[in-house]
Amino acid sequence: MQLSHAMSLLDAARSEAARLGVTVSISIMDAAAWPVAFIRMDGCPLGAIEVSQKKARTAVLFQMDSAVFATIAQPGGAAYSLENTNGGLTSFGGGVVLKGADGSVLGAIGVSGASTEDDIAIARAATQPAA
Amino acid sequence: MQLSHAMSLLDAARSEAARLGVTVSISIMDAAAWPVAFIRMDGCPLGAIEVSQKKARTAVLFQMDSAVFATIAQPGGAAYSLENTNGGLTSFGGGVVLKGADGSVLGAIGVSGASTEDDIAIARAATQPAA
Amino acid sequence: MQLSHAMSLLDAARSEAARLGVTVSISIMDAAAWPVAFIRMDGCPLGAIEVSQKKARTAVLFQMDSAVFATIAQPGGAAYSLENTNGGLTSFGGGVVLKGADGSVLGAIGVSGASTEDDIAIARAATQPAA
Amino acid sequence: MQLSHAMSLLDAARSEAARLGVTVSISIMDAAAWPVAFIRMDGCPLGAIEVSQKKARTAVLFQMDSAVFATIAQPGGAAYSLENTNGGLTSFGGGVVLKGADGSVLGAIGVSGASTEDDIAIARAATQPAA
């Protein structure tokens, strides 16, 4: 993941957040879960900073969106306790995997600070631009 | 647990993973829960590294397979919160105890990266070789 | 510290890094030591990510540049062990305090990945624009 | 770093350790500091397990051998306190960077358990095979 790519993802996510009238933190990580770029929009709750990072980390480490991860990694789920590995992961939506044209994982985006629905919508707007 | 034993377990597990067409991380620990050997197969999700370690650690520390541990260590179980001790343990299958001919615990193997069923099958193929 | 301010600091730092022919990580924190924005330039060593964060954190928490902090927070210094507080701080240059026109602390910038001299030069280029 | 490469590095290091009559722990990490393979030779002190991991991590994260890192990251050094970043790094020899033919970093090997001189010799025997 090059910085120029990460910056364009940040811009797209930030535009969608503005359109929805919310303020969020947005983390971009590479395919090995190392941070590439991050922004916190004015007014975003401070707790959302780390949440955005953990959402991106969750998506990269298990190659699935955090909303999907949530279906298995919780009490009663098939992999309860998985959410407590790797420094603590995030069992709700807002972390979305970034894939290349060939399906390989390029990294992930994590969005936090609005409702989970809006967080997901913002992450998807960045990763799946409309035609 | 000698290194030569651990390496033969790794080889057996890796062969079974290849036969199943999956890529996993495999951790071997001794009877005191210290690592003896580890491999990550090409393409295995990064999050599986620590999960394989925690599965082996869970099996050694409580002298039971992590799939059995899961039946007591979860919300509603007889020992809920046990999974949060010892640095965080794993309440799903893939960690298998290694025992000697006399029943004493020699260590454990932890496998992660495929479905829980396949992870368990790989760990058992290594520890319970067919006649 | 508003995001728009942080982004202009990032841009200025990144331009100076490019002019010097180096690649660095750059962290901007607010007056309460919470992250506002971050970038890692392509090719920057991974270890520099956290170092850039700790440099900014050091500068904010003690309201002094990390190069000044280094003169007291080391073996033999007047406040040896101070560097081990607050989660670990950074006793060398590259963290620079951001002040408002009235002298109040607005936040800090932390730069890491090049030589300490270049890291400092990049941080200063962002915070003390030439006339 | 593919597993087959990591296994050949482990074999070479283990052979050199045997030749020197010492027992060590050996960690191989990829270019993003994620573990690929690990062994602990019979008789190696338990404390060496994590040391081997931190040596490899140090070498990857700063793209320099841990013996070189040691010259700057210690009291009186140009970057004192750097050794306390990234979860704690290792300011003595035995972590060696692995580079490809084009000079790019492929990962690192970390060796611990013998004298620092022997640890370094073992790491180099694996990474710089004789002609």
Side-chain angles (χ1 to χ4, degrees), chain C residues 43-48 50-51 54 73-75 80-81 83-84 87-92 112 116, chain D residues 31-33 57 60-63 74-89:
Chain C
C44 174
L46 296 173
E50 186 186 304
V51 178
K54 290 204 165 179
Q74 60 172 284
Y80 165 59
S81 77
E83 67 272 29
N84 298 326
L89 300 168
T90 308
S91 282
F92 54 103
S112 178
T116 299
Chain D
R57 184 171 170 84
V60 167
L61 292 188
F62 291 93
Q63 303 187 350
Q74 60 172 282
Y80 164 63
S81 78
L82 185 62
E83 66 272 31
N84 298 326
T85 66
N86 290 282
L89 300 167

mmCIF file of all heavy atoms in Angstrom, chain C residues 43-48 50-51 54 73-75 80-81 83-84 87-92 112 116, chain D residues 31-33 57 60-63 74-89:
data_model
loop_
_atom_site.group_PDB
_atom_site.id
_atom_site.type_symbol
_atom_site.label_atom_id
_atom_site.label_comp_id
_atom_site.label_asym_id
_atom_site.label_seq_id
_atom_site.Cartn_x
_atom_site.Cartn_y
_atom_site.Cartn_z
ATOM 1 N N GLY C 43 8.716 3.488 1.881
ATOM 2 C CA GLY C 43 10.115 3.122 2.091
ATOM 3 C C GLY C 43 10.623 3.405 3.488
ATOM 4 O O GLY C 43 11.753 3.006 3.829
ATOM 5 N N CYS C 44 9.851 4.084 4.284
ATOM 6 C CA CYS C 44 10.272 4.402 5.654
ATOM 7 C C CYS C 44 10.345 3.116 6.481
ATOM 8 O O CYS C 44 9.425 2.305 6.449
ATOM 9 C CB CYS C 44 9.266 5.365 6.272
ATOM 10 S SG CYS C 44 9.540 5.708 8.011
ATOM 11 N N PRO C 45 11.432 2.922 7.262
ATOM 12 C CA PRO C 45 11.523 1.723 8.108
ATOM 13 C C PRO C 45 10.333 1.643 9.073
ATOM 14 O O PRO C 45 9.898 2.663 9.625
ATOM 15 C CB PRO C 45 12.827 1.937 8.884
ATOM 16 C CG PRO C 45 13.625 2.875 8.051
ATOM 17 C CD PRO C 45 12.617 3.768 7.367
ATOM 18 N N LEU C 46 9.817 0.437 9.272
ATOM 19 C CA LEU C 46 8.611 0.252 10.082
ATOM 20 C C LEU C 46 8.795 0.708 11.526
ATOM 21 O O LEU C 46 7.855 1.165 12.168
ATOM 22 C CB LEU C 46 8.180 -1.220 10.040
ATOM 23 C CG LEU C 46 7.764 -1.719 8.656
ATOM 24 C CD1 LEU C 46 7.528 -3.228 8.683
ATOM 25 C CD2 LEU C 46 6.526 -0.980 8.174
ATOM 26 N N GLY C 47 9.997 0.557 12.050
ATOM 27 C CA GLY C 47 10.235 0.956 13.437
ATOM 28 C C GLY C 47 10.005 2.433 13.680
ATOM 29 O O GLY C 47 9.786 2.865 14.822
ATOM 30 N N ALA C 48 10.063 3.238 12.620
ATOM 31 C CA ALA C 48 9.927 4.694 12.764
ATOM 32 C C ALA C 48 8.487 5.122 13.048
ATOM 33 O O ALA C 48 8.259 6.241 13.510
ATOM 34 C CB ALA C 48 10.435 5.390 11.506
ATOM 35 N N GLU C 50 6.216 4.037 15.354
ATOM 36 C CA GLU C 50 5.994 4.304 16.778
ATOM 37 C C GLU C 50 6.930 5.385 17.305
ATOM 38 O O GLU C 50 6.567 6.159 18.192
ATOM 39 C CB GLU C 50 6.155 3.025 17.607
ATOM 40 C CG GLU C 50 5.790 3.277 19.054
ATOM 41 C CD GLU C 50 6.050 2.098 19.964
ATOM 42 O OE1 GLU C 50 5.533 1.014 19.696
ATOM 43 O OE2 GLU C 50 6.781 2.277 20.966
ATOM 44 N N VAL C 51 8.137 5.440 16.776
ATOM 45 C CA VAL C 51 9.085 6.459 17.248
ATOM 46 C C VAL C 51 8.544 7.861 16.953
ATOM 47 O O VAL C 51 8.621 8.760 17.799
ATOM 48 C CB VAL C 51 10.479 6.265 16.620
ATOM 49 C CG1 VAL C 51 11.427 7.363 17.084
ATOM 50 C CG2 VAL C 51 11.041 4.889 16.986
ATOM 51 N N LYS C 54 5.973 8.581 19.581
ATOM 52 C CA LYS C 54 6.541 8.844 20.912
ATOM 53 C C LYS C 54 7.260 10.190 20.962
ATOM 54 O O LYS C 54 7.287 10.850 22.005
ATOM 55 C CB LYS C 54 7.474 7.702 21.321
ATOM 56 C CG LYS C 54 6.698 6.422 21.615
ATOM 57 C CD LYS C 54 7.440 5.481 22.549
ATOM 58 C CE LYS C 54 6.464 4.427 23.084
ATOM 59 N NZ LYS C 54 7.111 3.452 23.984
ATOM 60 N N ALA C 73 16.652 13.696 30.502
ATOM 61 C CA ALA C 73 16.066 12.373 30.712
ATOM 62 C C ALA C 73 16.973 11.289 30.154
ATOM 63 O O ALA C 73 16.665 10.658 29.139
ATOM 64 C CB ALA C 73 14.675 12.319 30.062
ATOM 65 N N GLN C 74 18.104 11.084 30.820
ATOM 66 C CA GLN C 74 18.991 9.983 30.468
ATOM 67 C C GLN C 74 19.946 9.719 31.615
ATOM 68 O O GLN C 74 20.057 10.543 32.527
ATOM 69 C CB GLN C 74 19.746 10.280 29.187
ATOM 70 C CG GLN C 74 20.623 11.507 29.204
ATOM 71 C CD GLN C 74 21.443 11.537 27.924
ATOM 72 O OE1 GLN C 74 22.405 10.794 27.791
ATOM 73 N NE2 GLN C 74 21.026 12.365 26.982
ATOM 74 N N PRO C 75 20.606 8.573 31.604
ATOM 75 C CA PRO C 75 21.522 8.246 32.697
ATOM 76 C C PRO C 75 22.498 9.395 32.948
ATOM 77 O O PRO C 75 23.137 9.877 32.003
ATOM 78 C CB PRO C 75 22.245 7.004 32.177
ATOM 79 C CG PRO C 75 21.255 6.349 31.282
ATOM 80 C CD PRO C 75 20.538 7.488 30.607
ATOM 81 N N TYR C 80 16.901 11.558 35.171
ATOM 82 C CA TYR C 80 17.011 10.204 34.643
ATOM 83 C C TYR C 80 15.834 9.351 35.116
ATOM 84 O O TYR C 80 15.507 9.373 36.302
ATOM 85 C CB TYR C 80 18.319 9.542 35.085
ATOM 86 C CG TYR C 80 18.316 8.054 34.866
ATOM 87 C CD1 TYR C 80 18.134 7.531 33.588
ATOM 88 C CD2 TYR C 80 18.435 7.169 35.931
ATOM 89 C CE1 TYR C 80 18.094 6.158 33.382
ATOM 90 C CE2 TYR C 80 18.400 5.808 35.739
ATOM 91 C CZ TYR C 80 18.228 5.303 34.456
ATOM 92 O OH TYR C 80 18.170 3.943 34.255
ATOM 93 N N SER C 81 15.254 8.618 34.215
ATOM 94 C CA SER C 81 14.109 7.706 34.380
ATOM 95 C C SER C 81 12.799 8.364 33.947
ATOM 96 O O SER C 81 11.793 7.667 33.763
ATOM 97 C CB SER C 81 13.958 7.163 35.811
ATOM 98 O OG SER C 81 13.394 8.130 36.669
ATOM 99 N N GLU C 83 12.240 9.282 31.144
ATOM 100 C CA GLU C 83 11.986 8.711 29.820
ATOM 101 C C GLU C 83 11.215 7.390 29.900
ATOM 102 O O GLU C 83 10.711 6.907 28.889
ATOM 103 C CB GLU C 83 13.299 8.530 29.048
ATOM 104 C CG GLU C 83 14.258 7.489 29.594
ATOM 105 C CD GLU C 83 15.202 8.044 30.650
ATOM 106 O OE1 GLU C 83 14.829 9.001 31.365
ATOM 107 O OE2 GLU C 83 16.318 7.489 30.764
ATOM 108 N N ASN C 84 11.152 6.817 31.087
ATOM 109 C CA ASN C 84 10.426 5.551 31.232
ATOM 110 C C ASN C 84 9.015 5.735 31.769
ATOM 111 O O ASN C 84 8.325 4.756 32.043
ATOM 112 C CB ASN C 84 11.217 4.608 32.143
ATOM 113 C CG ASN C 84 12.573 4.271 31.554
ATOM 114 O OD1 ASN C 84 12.720 4.165 30.335
ATOM 115 N ND2 ASN C 84 13.573 4.140 32.392
ATOM 116 N N GLY C 87 4.368 5.524 29.517
ATOM 117 C CA GLY C 87 4.373 4.525 28.458
ATOM 118 C C GLY C 87 5.657 4.472 27.659
ATOM 119 O O GLY C 87 5.755 3.729 26.684
ATOM 120 N N GLY C 88 6.677 5.285 28.098
ATOM 121 C CA GLY C 88 7.938 5.290 27.364
ATOM 122 C C GLY C 88 8.033 6.520 26.489
ATOM 123 O O GLY C 88 7.180 6.729 25.618
ATOM 124 N N LEU C 89 9.066 7.330 26.730
ATOM 125 C CA LEU C 89 9.223 8.566 25.959
ATOM 126 C C LEU C 89 10.530 8.526 25.165
ATOM 127 O O LEU C 89 11.247 7.530 25.192
ATOM 128 C CB LEU C 89 9.171 9.759 26.920
ATOM 129 C CG LEU C 89 7.827 9.834 27.683
ATOM 130 C CD1 LEU C 89 7.897 10.830 28.826
ATOM 131 C CD2 LEU C 89 6.693 10.179 26.728
ATOM 132 N N THR C 90 10.833 9.600 24.460
ATOM 133 C CA THR C 90 11.925 9.570 23.496
ATOM 134 C C THR C 90 12.977 10.614 23.818
ATOM 135 O O THR C 90 12.716 11.820 23.733
ATOM 136 C CB THR C 90 11.374 9.820 22.076
ATOM 137 O OG1 THR C 90 10.301 8.911 21.841
ATOM 138 C CG2 THR C 90 12.452 9.598 21.035
ATOM 139 N N SER C 91 14.189 10.138 24.160
ATOM 140 C CA SER C 91 15.272 11.034 24.548
ATOM 141 C C SER C 91 16.204 11.356 23.389
ATOM 142 O O SER C 91 17.425 11.201 23.501
ATOM 143 C CB SER C 91 16.060 10.406 25.704
ATOM 144 O OG SER C 91 15.368 10.559 26.925
ATOM 145 N N PHE C 92 15.649 11.777 22.273
ATOM 146 C CA PHE C 92 16.475 12.316 21.193
ATOM 147 C C PHE C 92 15.571 13.136 20.280
ATOM 148 O O PHE C 92 14.354 13.108 20.408
ATOM 149 C CB PHE C 92 17.255 11.228 20.434
ATOM 150 C CG PHE C 92 16.432 10.099 19.876
ATOM 151 C CD1 PHE C 92 16.122 10.033 18.527
ATOM 152 C CD2 PHE C 92 15.994 9.073 20.710
ATOM 153 C CE1 PHE C 92 15.381 8.978 18.008
ATOM 154 C CE2 PHE C 92 15.251 8.002 20.199
ATOM 155 C CZ PHE C 92 14.947 7.964 18.851
ATOM 156 N N SER C 112 10.315 10.710 12.363
ATOM 157 C CA SER C 112 11.322 9.658 12.532
ATOM 158 C C SER C 112 11.510 8.894 11.236
ATOM 159 O O SER C 112 10.566 8.738 10.461
ATOM 160 C CB SER C 112 10.885 8.690 13.639
ATOM 161 O OG SER C 112 11.819 7.643 13.790
ATOM 162 N N THR C 116 18.751 11.803 12.920
ATOM 163 C CA THR C 116 18.116 12.683 13.900
ATOM 164 C C THR C 116 18.177 14.137 13.425
ATOM 165 O O THR C 116 17.215 14.894 13.596
ATOM 166 C CB THR C 116 18.789 12.526 15.269
ATOM 167 O OG1 THR C 116 18.634 11.161 15.686
ATOM 168 C CG2 THR C 116 18.149 13.426 16.316
ATOM 169 N N ALA D 31 9.621 -9.441 6.204
ATOM 170 C CA ALA D 31 9.991 -8.023 6.079
ATOM 171 C C ALA D 31 9.085 -7.094 6.876
ATOM 172 O O ALA D 31 9.394 -5.914 7.054
ATOM 173 C CB ALA D 31 9.979 -7.616 4.604
ATOM 174 N N ALA D 32 7.965 -7.623 7.389
ATOM 175 C CA ALA D 32 7.060 -6.819 8.204
ATOM 176 C C ALA D 32 7.101 -7.252 9.670
ATOM 177 O O ALA D 32 6.219 -6.896 10.451
ATOM 178 C CB ALA D 32 5.640 -6.910 7.660
ATOM 179 N N ALA D 33 8.144 -8.029 10.014
ATOM 180 C CA ALA D 33 8.376 -8.449 11.400
ATOM 181 C C ALA D 33 7.350 -9.449 11.920
ATOM 182 O O ALA D 33 7.128 -9.541 13.131
ATOM 183 C CB ALA D 33 8.489 -7.242 12.337
ATOM 184 N N ARG D 57 13.278 -8.940 15.334
ATOM 185 C CA ARG D 57 12.365 -7.796 15.205
ATOM 186 C C ARG D 57 13.141 -6.476 15.103
ATOM 187 O O ARG D 57 12.820 -5.620 14.275
ATOM 188 C CB ARG D 57 11.428 -7.776 16.422
ATOM 189 C CG ARG D 57 10.360 -6.702 16.391
ATOM 190 C CD ARG D 57 9.363 -6.909 17.528
ATOM 191 N NE ARG D 57 8.477 -5.778 17.679
ATOM 192 C CZ ARG D 57 7.374 -5.568 16.989
ATOM 193 N NH1 ARG D 57 7.007 -6.443 16.091
ATOM 194 N NH2 ARG D 57 6.634 -4.499 17.171
ATOM 195 N N VAL D 60 14.707 -6.158 11.580
ATOM 196 C CA VAL D 60 13.742 -5.826 10.534
ATOM 197 C C VAL D 60 13.252 -4.390 10.666
ATOM 198 O O VAL D 60 13.230 -3.635 9.685
ATOM 199 C CB VAL D 60 12.518 -6.771 10.580
ATOM 200 C CG1 VAL D 60 11.389 -6.223 9.711
ATOM 201 C CG2 VAL D 60 12.901 -8.156 10.117
ATOM 202 N N LEU D 61 12.875 -4.004 11.881
ATOM 203 C CA LEU D 61 12.192 -2.715 12.046
ATOM 204 C C LEU D 61 13.095 -1.534 11.726
ATOM 205 O O LEU D 61 12.627 -0.479 11.312
ATOM 206 C CB LEU D 61 11.630 -2.583 13.460
ATOM 207 C CG LEU D 61 10.475 -3.505 13.814
ATOM 208 C CD1 LEU D 61 9.896 -3.129 15.181
ATOM 209 C CD2 LEU D 61 9.374 -3.459 12.768
ATOM 210 N N PHE D 62 14.393 -1.714 11.960
ATOM 211 C CA PHE D 62 15.316 -0.606 11.675
ATOM 212 C C PHE D 62 16.286 -0.926 10.544
ATOM 213 O O PHE D 62 17.222 -0.167 10.291
ATOM 214 C CB PHE D 62 16.017 -0.154 12.955
ATOM 215 C CG PHE D 62 15.045 0.510 13.896
ATOM 216 C CD1 PHE D 62 14.408 -0.213 14.878
ATOM 217 C CD2 PHE D 62 14.704 1.836 13.720
ATOM 218 C CE1 PHE D 62 13.455 0.389 15.706
ATOM 219 C CE2 PHE D 62 13.766 2.451 14.535
ATOM 220 C CZ PHE D 62 13.137 1.721 15.531
ATOM 221 N N GLN D 63 16.063 -2.056 9.902
ATOM 222 C CA GLN D 63 16.854 -2.415 8.717
ATOM 223 C C GLN D 63 18.347 -2.350 8.998
ATOM 224 O O GLN D 63 19.149 -1.887 8.169
ATOM 225 C CB GLN D 63 16.464 -1.514 7.527
ATOM 226 C CG GLN D 63 14.961 -1.611 7.239
ATOM 227 C CD GLN D 63 14.528 -0.878 5.982
ATOM 228 O OE1 GLN D 63 15.292 -0.125 5.393
ATOM 229 N NE2 GLN D 63 13.295 -1.109 5.565
ATOM 230 N N GLN D 74 21.580 3.192 23.222
ATOM 231 C CA GLN D 74 21.971 2.900 24.604
ATOM 232 C C GLN D 74 22.393 4.195 25.284
ATOM 233 O O GLN D 74 22.595 5.206 24.619
ATOM 234 C CB GLN D 74 23.080 1.872 24.641
ATOM 235 C CG GLN D 74 24.359 2.244 23.950
ATOM 236 C CD GLN D 74 25.412 1.188 24.264
ATOM 237 O OE1 GLN D 74 25.981 1.195 25.343
ATOM 238 N NE2 GLN D 74 25.616 0.292 23.320
ATOM 239 N N PRO D 75 22.506 4.156 26.620
ATOM 240 C CA PRO D 75 22.900 5.368 27.345
ATOM 241 C C PRO D 75 24.154 5.987 26.747
ATOM 242 O O PRO D 75 25.159 5.288 26.540
ATOM 243 C CB PRO D 75 23.151 4.855 28.767
ATOM 244 C CG PRO D 75 22.233 3.673 28.900
ATOM 245 C CD PRO D 75 22.248 3.037 27.534
ATOM 246 N N GLY D 76 24.064 7.262 26.419
ATOM 247 C CA GLY D 76 25.202 7.944 25.808
ATOM 248 C C GLY D 76 25.194 7.869 24.293
ATOM 249 O O GLY D 76 25.923 8.597 23.630
ATOM 250 N N GLY D 77 24.372 6.974 23.733
ATOM 251 C CA GLY D 77 24.304 6.843 22.284
ATOM 252 C C GLY D 77 23.436 7.933 21.669
ATOM 253 O O GLY D 77 22.716 8.639 22.365
ATOM 254 N N ALA D 78 23.512 8.038 20.353
ATOM 255 C CA ALA D 78 22.806 9.112 19.648
ATOM 256 C C ALA D 78 21.287 8.956 19.733
ATOM 257 O O ALA D 78 20.560 9.936 19.565
ATOM 258 C CB ALA D 78 23.235 9.135 18.188
ATOM 259 N N ALA D 79 20.841 7.744 19.966
ATOM 260 C CA ALA D 79 19.393 7.522 20.018
ATOM 261 C C ALA D 79 19.032 6.727 21.262
ATOM 262 O O ALA D 79 18.240 5.780 21.206
ATOM 263 C CB ALA D 79 18.919 6.814 18.757
ATOM 264 N N TYR D 80 19.598 7.124 22.392
ATOM 265 C CA TYR D 80 19.221 6.482 23.653
ATOM 266 C C TYR D 80 17.706 6.561 23.838
ATOM 267 O O TYR D 80 17.133 7.633 23.651
ATOM 268 C CB TYR D 80 19.920 7.159 24.844
ATOM 269 C CG TYR D 80 19.286 6.794 26.158
ATOM 270 C CD1 TYR D 80 19.288 5.467 26.602
ATOM 271 C CD2 TYR D 80 18.645 7.746 26.946
ATOM 272 C CE1 TYR D 80 18.666 5.111 27.791
ATOM 273 C CE2 TYR D 80 18.022 7.406 28.142
ATOM 274 C CZ TYR D 80 18.033 6.083 28.557
ATOM 275 O OH TYR D 80 17.407 5.738 29.725
ATOM 276 N N SER D 81 17.101 5.472 24.210
ATOM 277 C CA SER D 81 15.664 5.273 24.443
ATOM 278 C C SER D 81 14.977 4.630 23.240
ATOM 279 O O SER D 81 13.850 4.137 23.360
ATOM 280 C CB SER D 81 14.918 6.560 24.836
ATOM 281 O OG SER D 81 14.679 7.379 23.698
ATOM 282 N N LEU D 82 15.659 4.610 22.103
ATOM 283 C CA LEU D 82 15.100 3.929 20.923
ATOM 284 C C LEU D 82 14.862 2.455 21.234
ATOM 285 O O LEU D 82 13.939 1.838 20.698
ATOM 286 C CB LEU D 82 16.069 4.070 19.739
ATOM 287 C CG LEU D 82 15.612 3.536 18.387
ATOM 288 C CD1 LEU D 82 14.369 4.267 17.904
ATOM 289 C CD2 LEU D 82 16.718 3.665 17.338
ATOM 290 N N GLU D 83 15.711 1.902 22.116
ATOM 291 C CA GLU D 83 15.602 0.478 22.466
ATOM 292 C C GLU D 83 14.328 0.174 23.248
ATOM 293 O O GLU D 83 13.966 -0.993 23.415
ATOM 294 C CB GLU D 83 16.850 0.028 23.245
ATOM 295 C CG GLU D 83 17.022 0.659 24.611
ATOM 296 C CD GLU D 83 17.792 1.974 24.589
ATOM 297 O OE1 GLU D 83 17.707 2.704 23.571
ATOM 298 O OE2 GLU D 83 18.472 2.273 25.591
ATOM 299 N N ASN D 84 13.667 1.216 23.737
ATOM 300 C CA ASN D 84 12.430 0.999 24.502
ATOM 301 C C ASN D 84 11.167 1.209 23.671
ATOM 302 O O ASN D 84 10.064 1.198 24.206
ATOM 303 C CB ASN D 84 12.421 1.916 25.734
ATOM 304 C CG ASN D 84 13.571 1.591 26.667
ATOM 305 O OD1 ASN D 84 13.968 0.426 26.793
ATOM 306 N ND2 ASN D 84 14.134 2.599 27.305
ATOM 307 N N THR D 85 11.324 1.424 22.375
ATOM 308 C CA THR D 85 10.159 1.576 21.498
ATOM 309 C C THR D 85 9.752 0.220 20.928
ATOM 310 O O THR D 85 10.461 -0.777 21.097
ATOM 311 C CB THR D 85 10.459 2.538 20.323
ATOM 312 O OG1 THR D 85 11.448 1.954 19.476
ATOM 313 C CG2 THR D 85 10.948 3.888 20.830
ATOM 314 N N ASN D 86 8.623 0.203 20.259
ATOM 315 C CA ASN D 86 8.176 -0.980 19.518
ATOM 316 C C ASN D 86 8.127 -2.248 20.373
ATOM 317 O O ASN D 86 8.457 -3.346 19.908
ATOM 318 C CB ASN D 86 9.077 -1.202 18.290
ATOM 319 C CG ASN D 86 8.864 -0.125 17.227
ATOM 320 O OD1 ASN D 86 7.888 -0.189 16.512
ATOM 321 N ND2 ASN D 86 9.749 0.862 17.174
ATOM 322 N N GLY D 87 7.724 -2.074 21.630
ATOM 323 C CA GLY D 87 7.567 -3.234 22.498
ATOM 324 C C GLY D 87 8.837 -3.684 23.172
ATOM 325 O O GLY D 87 8.844 -4.700 23.869
ATOM 326 N N GLY D 88 9.929 -2.915 22.950
ATOM 327 C CA GLY D 88 11.207 -3.307 23.556
ATOM 328 C C GLY D 88 12.086 -3.973 22.523
ATOM 329 O O GLY D 88 11.711 -5.005 21.966
ATOM 330 N N LEU D 89 13.253 -3.382 22.276
ATOM 331 C CA LEU D 89 14.150 -3.909 21.248
ATOM 332 C C LEU D 89 15.451 -4.397 21.889
ATOM 333 O O LEU D 89 15.601 -4.349 23.112
ATOM 334 C CB LEU D 89 14.386 -2.837 20.190
ATOM 335 C CG LEU D 89 13.079 -2.393 19.500
ATOM 336 C CD1 LEU D 89 13.277 -1.132 18.697
ATOM 337 C CD2 LEU D 89 12.538 -3.514 18.614
#
